[in-house]
Amino acid sequence: RKPSIKNGERNIKKGQCLVCSGNEIKYLFIAEHKKVWPVGLMCRLFNVKRSGFYDYLKNRIHRKNELETELID
């Protein structure tokens, strides 16, 4: 039997998308400020992996290209 949730507590598993969006916000900040501060420093400060940041950039560029292709078609 599952324990009941009381006093406004939330199920942690249901909030996983919030964790993902939190990293996306961090990655977006890093991307916008990478000419001001070193990427490695910002990744350490935000407690995210540098490889995760570069994966985010690569996927973001890929999604942008897909959207542009769809709009042209």
Side-chain angles (χ1 to χ4, degrees):
R1 184 174 178 182
K2 294 182 181 179
S4 62
I5 298 174
K6 299 178 184 178
N7 299 329
E9 294 177 1
R10 295 185 180 175
N11 186 338
I12 293 174
K13 289 184 180 181
K14 289 184 179 180
Q16 286 178 340
C17 64
L18 294 177
V19 173
C20 295
S21 64
N23 280 346
E24 285 187 44
I25 292 170
K26 293 174 186 179
Y27 294 148
L28 184 59
F29 180 90
I30 294 169
E32 291 177 354
H33 294 87
K34 66 183 181 181
K35 292 183 179 178
V36 180
W37 297 296
V39 170
L41 174 66
M42 289 189 285
C43 287
R44 277 194 308 266
L45 290 173
F46 288 125
N47 198 28
V48 295
K49 293 186 177 186
R50 186 187 298 197
S51 61
F53 168 69
Y54 287 114
D55 287 343
Y56 166 78
L57 283 183
K58 184 171 61 173
N59 290 332
R60 190 171 129 189
I61 291 169
H62 181 69
R63 284 190 305 252
K64 181 180 175 186
N65 290 339
E66 285 179 347
L67 288 173
E68 288 175 352
T69 303
E70 286 179 17
L71 290 174
I72 292 171
D73 292 342

